[in-house]
Amino acid sequence: MLDFVYYPVSAVLWFWHRVFGSVLGPDNGFAWALAVIFLVFTLRALLIKPFVGQIRSQLAMKKLKPQLEAVQRKYSGDRARQATEMRKLQQEHGFNPLMGCLPLLAQGPVFIGLLHVLRSFNRTGTGFGHLGMTAQENANTANYVFSAADVQSFLDARLFGAPISAAVNSSREVLEAFGPFGGVPSVWSIAFVEVPLMIVAAVATHLNSRASVARQDAAALANPQTAIMNKLVLWVFPAGVLVGGPVLPVAVLLYWVSNNMWTYVQQHIVYRRIDREPVVVPEVTSVVTAPKPGAKPRRRQQAGQE
């Protein structure tokens, strides 16, 4: 159903595996891990321009807020006119609400696509979303752009003893499918890799949220709804990574960590660059006042005269 997502994601992953596999070896776990990380970097590099547009849209929205509130008050009884005037004001100042959503909307399908492609390297489980293949059938079935040989290479790869498509809560059937390719991994070997990744992912999520909250103005911070949302992104979302981490494969946690690291570095560079841009201050038109009735007009003294 989502082949238009799965094939491009698997193609980019295949490309980077070919690059790193040619140096480290196709069955090397680090080659596969780096392929996942550079899949993230490829997507985020393509989204640099929309990300900058998102930041500028947020700043433009902040500047437009008083004028938008004035329009809302002026046309509070006419919703249609209110919406028209607000759109007109946004267009005049080059504000595009969609720019704020584009980076997030683009990353969602890639995350879903990566999760599905990784799960499809091992289709031996019998639960929801699994095909119930035998280990032999799975090893000889292609996975989108990956050939059967690539599937066997993936099953054979280990990152500190853990298959990167395995999760802490992987079923026994899924783990046993790795048996002919490097042996059946233990839950402890998977946890040894996943737990540090979960902690790093949670910390990175918190730091990114803290950086975003730090740029909110006093009016936003005083808003009760904003305060609730800030608590969610600062504490609940990072805690969700720790709670949900055991369900995610190692490679997805690698995706999460590398994506957050890219976001942290990128937003600091972009904000620093925008903050250094000169602020355009509108020229102040001088106001000439007329003399009071009966008063003699006074001429301004010329520069240099006493």
Side-chain angles (χ1 to χ4, degrees), residues 235-258:
W235 306 109
V236 178
F237 291 174
V241 179
L242 296 175
V243 174
V247 180
L248 301 174
V250 173
V252 173
L253 288 172
L254 284 172
Y255 176 98
W256 198 304
V257 170
S258 54

Side-chain angles (χ1 to χ4, degrees), residues 69-306:
E69 290 176 348
V71 170
Q72 289 175 335
R73 289 193 299 269
K74 184 176 180 179
Y75 302 104
S76 58
D78 189 345
R79 294 288 184 181
R81 180 68 182 278
Q82 182 184 105
T84 301
E85 294 297 325
M86 290 178 70
R87 280 197 304 270
K88 187 186 300 182
L89 185 62
Q90 291 171 353
Q91 291 171 359
E92 289 174 357
H93 291 80
F95 173 73
N96 185 359
L98 293 178
M99 290 301 295
C101 305
L102 183 59
L104 184 61
L105 291 175
Q107 290 180 63
V110 174
F111 182 85
I112 295 171
L114 176 63
L115 180 60
H116 177 77
V117 170
L118 291 174
R119 285 166 59 92
S120 297
F121 277 108
N122 191 341
R123 295 147 288 192
T124 56
T126 55
F128 176 76
H130 293 278
L131 299 180
M133 291 183 177
T134 65
Q136 189 67 23
E137 289 173 338
N138 178 72
N140 290 283
T141 304
N143 179 22
Y144 296 99
V145 303
F146 291 100
S147 65
D150 292 327
V151 171
Q152 294 169 23
S153 171
F154 186 92
L155 294 172
D156 195 44
R158 296 290 188 274
L159 188 65
F160 300 109
I164 65 172
S165 67
V168 170
N169 75 331
S170 292
S171 66
R172 192 65 193 170
E173 296 92 339
V174 171
L175 295 180
E176 288 177 351
F178 292 103
F181 307 95
V184 178
S186 68
V187 174
W188 290 109
S189 65
I190 300 170
F192 176 77
V193 177
E194 281 214 320
V195 170
L197 286 174
M198 288 159 52
I199 294 172
V200 173
V203 172
T205 303
H206 173 79
L207 291 177
N208 280 330
S209 301
R210 182 171 291 277
S212 298
V213 170
R215 297 195 64 90
Q216 294 177 355
D217 55 25
L221 292 173
N223 189 318
Q225 293 180 346
T226 304
I228 294 173
M229 183 56 64
N230 287 344
K231 289 180 180 179
L232 288 175
V233 299
L234 283 172
W235 306 109
V236 178
F237 291 174
V241 179
L242 296 175
V243 174
V247 180
L248 301 174
V250 173
V252 173
L253 288 172
L254 284 172
Y255 176 98
W256 198 304
V257 170
S258 54
N259 188 58
N260 274 281
M261 290 176 64
W262 179 287
T263 299
Y264 186 81
V265 173
Q266 180 177 260
Q267 70 179 354
H268 278 75
I269 293 174
V270 171
Y271 275 126
R272 190 178 299 124
R273 184 175 178 180
I274 290 176
D275 290 341
R276 285 203 302 262
E277 292 179 355
V279 179
V280 180
V281 181
E283 295 182 1
V284 180
T285 306
S286 58
V287 180
V288 180
T289 56
K292 294 181 180 180
K296 183 179 179 180
R298 298 179 62 183
R299 298 176 60 185
R300 291 184 179 179
Q301 293 180 338
Q302 298 295 325
Q305 292 182 351
E306 297 183 357

